[in-house]
Amino acid sequence: MRFDNVLAVDPIDGEFVGSVETEENVITGIRRIPGKREFERILMPGFVDLHTHGSVGVDTLSMNGEALKKWENFLYAQGVTYFLPTTMSSTPSVILSAARVVRDYIKNKTLTSVGGIHYEGPYLSLKRKGAQNPELIRSIDLKEIEETLIESVKLITMAPELEGFSQAQELVQKRGITLSLGHTDATYEDMERAYNHGCHRITHFPNGMNTLHHRELGCVGAVLSLPFSVEMIMDGIHSLPGFVKLIFGIKGPKKIMIVTDTIDATAMPDGEYELGGQKIILKNGRPTLEDGTIAAAVLVFSGAVRNFREFAGCSLKELAMVSSLNSLNSIGIKDRGRISEGYRADLVLLDENLGVRETILNGKTVFQS
Ligand code: FE
């Protein structure tokens, strides 16, 4: 494939006008045209969403392979070339069966953007449950963790203040699975201990955690003072635009990862839905529990990317970090997320308003508008 007249955006080398060539599934040729300013399309690394519970009526905990295909196709139209279906707190058998659906799906496809599964819970803080079902949140059970960590599990969100966390952290990390801290009521010290033992990642910051106080730094204080990378939901509801700008100023472009946290009601009409065994009401684009608690999100990835650019006032180079490279690096993937020779051709072609026009996965077009 060859992309001429593009503004190519690499998260390390920056932006240039010119052409990009791919052969088979790899970027093979980069040609910069010095001094040229006009271009037809923007070419960025494909988007990466490591925290999404569902879309278009599909939910991670209840989907089969066919439903996952429908979801994957929907995400191609959003420019997403890698994602992790994400569970909610549930029973070990339900969680495990979702992980098996994902495992078998990946095994049977030669071309897929499904990278594995993210377990959000069930070892979380009851006090900071958000929209997690309190009946299914539980204490750390090492044997259960051992049994549910099958090969498709790439990421797991846990609360570091729970009893047995240190052993759980060791177990998870030994398996090569990335740990993320979230839905937590931890102290600064709990957070710092987890950081020092190799967990450098935060789930949907600062939702589902205690906040900053000048005499008790807590979770938010720990996240801001230690070099954690943070997932952020970019719907302008979970965090106000001004807060996103503030965090961008503090953490910088290398430590923020856009996630959607979308649920099955995404791209669906207003009405009643279900999330992790609880009723969700979608009204005017806002999903809540019956008591009004905000429950996940329905803003698609391409919209989240546009919002981040507006909220943070960042460059396209910085946008390529937060929408792709940082997330990939957070789970140890190094062969994509850049527009540079030798990298895997997972790309998204955008118009000047960042509308998705074409999505390329592993060197093949999977969406075109
Ligand atoms: Fe959550």
Side-chain angles (χ1 to χ4, degrees):
M1 287 178 132
R2 190 185 156 100
F3 305 93
D4 286 316
N5 258 328
V6 292
L7 175 70
V9 185
D10 180 69
I12 307 292
D13 297 337
E15 302 158 23
F16 65 90
V17 176
S19 61
V20 173
E21 235 174 311
T22 68
E23 236 178 84
E24 305 260 313
N25 63 336
V26 174
I27 298 169
T28 50
I30 299 278
R31 201 164 70 92
R32 293 165 182 260
I33 307 175
K36 189 166 188 302
R37 284 170 171 268
E38 319 80 68
F39 55 86
E40 278 166 27
R41 295 270 186 254
I42 300 167
L43 187 68
M44 286 179 72
F47 300 143
V48 176
D49 191 357
L50 302 188
H51 190 150
T52 170
H53 300 283
S55 278
V56 285
V58 180
D59 179 272
T60 302
L61 287 178
S62 59
M63 69 188 178
N64 57 19
E66 205 178 309
L68 180 52
K69 183 70 216 158
K70 182 180 170 195
W71 184 8
E72 180 178 31
N73 286 340
F74 173 74
L75 292 188
Y76 287 152
Q78 311 305 330
V80 174
T81 54
Y82 189 100
F83 75 107
L84 299 180
T86 303
T87 62
M88 296 287 287
S89 296
S90 194
T91 63
S93 66
V94 169
I95 289 173
L96 198 50
S97 84
R100 287 190 179 123
V101 168
V102 170
R103 178 196 63 192
D104 296 345
Y105 186 86
I106 296 170
K107 226 182 247 171
N108 294 328
K109 290 262 181 302
T110 45
L111 186 69
T112 180
S113 57
V114 179
I117 194 162
H118 172 180
Y119 287 165
E120 188 183 14
Y123 318 110
L124 307 171
S125 160
L126 260 180
K127 195 174 167 196
R128 303 291 170 185
K129 64 183 183 337
Q132 297 272 347
N133 188 339
E135 282 163 31
L136 294 163
I137 288 176
R138 51 191 181 275
S139 21
I140 287 178
D141 178 336
L142 293 171
K143 194 168 159 270
E144 189 182 283
I145 295 177
E146 188 104 53
E147 282 163 9
T148 49
L149 292 187
I150 65 168
E151 72 217 61
S152 53
V153 184
K154 288 277 178 299
L155 185 60
I156 173 162
T157 294
M158 258 189 239
E161 71 276 24
L162 299 184
E163 205 185 313
F165 175 81
S166 298
Q167 293 99 300
Q169 177 170 17
E170 205 185 312
L171 175 64
V172 167
Q173 290 176 174
K174 219 182 246 168
R175 294 274 195 96
I177 296 162
T178 304
L179 190 64
S180 196
L181 308 179
H183 288 281
T184 167
D185 200 36
T187 60
Y188 179 91
E189 288 72 25
D190 295 325
M191 300 291 281
E192 188 182 38
R193 198 173 314 115
Y195 185 88
N196 288 339
H197 286 90
C199 174
H200 302 154
R201 196 182 191 289
I202 303 294
T203 298
H204 57 41
F205 178 74
N207 299 103
M209 58 181 58
N210 61 45
T211 193
L212 176 70
H213 187 277
H214 53 286
R215 282 189 295 272
E216 169 51 56
L217 290 176
C219 295
V220 170
V223 171
L224 297 183
S225 59
L226 299 168
F228 279 110
S229 291
V230 299
E231 292 182 354
M232 288 191 87
I233 304 167
M234 224 36 72
D235 59 0
I237 299 169
H238 284 75
S239 292
L240 294 180
F243 186 81
V244 173
K245 193 174 172 58
L246 174 70
I247 297 307
F248 183 65
I250 296 171
K251 302 292 289 183
K254 293 182 182 165
K255 299 287 181 193
I256 298 174
M257 304 173 278
I258 295 176
V259 297
T260 59
D261 202 10
T262 44
I263 55 170
D264 60 349
T266 304
M268 300 287 279
D270 279 2
E272 286 181 10
Y273 295 86
E274 198 219 273
L275 179 67
Q278 298 195 101
K279 197 189 330 178
I280 299 284
I281 297 152
L282 178 70
K283 209 176 154 195
N284 305 324
R286 223 178 233 259
T288 61
L289 297 180
E290 279 178 286
D291 67 3
T293 305
I294 42 172
V298 292
L299 179 73
V300 295
F301 205 94
S302 53
V305 168
R306 283 193 288 273
N307 277 358
F308 187 86
R309 186 159 195 227
E310 189 189 318
F311 298 171
C314 70
S315 67
L316 286 173
K317 177 186 172 182
E318 291 164 337
L319 201 58
M321 291 183 199
V322 302
S323 63
S324 182
L325 187 69
N326 297 347
S327 289
L328 291 167
N329 287 348
S330 82
I331 54 166
I333 297 176
K334 305 277 186 204
D335 66 339
R336 61 199 89 170
R338 292 203 50 194
I339 299 191
S340 185
E341 281 171 20
Y343 282 82
R344 188 173 128 136
D346 282 6
L347 303 163
V348 58
L349 207 53
L350 305 148
D351 59 34
E352 77 256 39
N353 302 315
L354 301 180
V356 176
R357 306 309 293 259
E358 188 174 345
T359 305
I360 297 100
L361 176 66
N362 210 22
K364 289 179 190 71
T365 298
V366 288
F367 170 79
Q368 207 158 20
S369 86

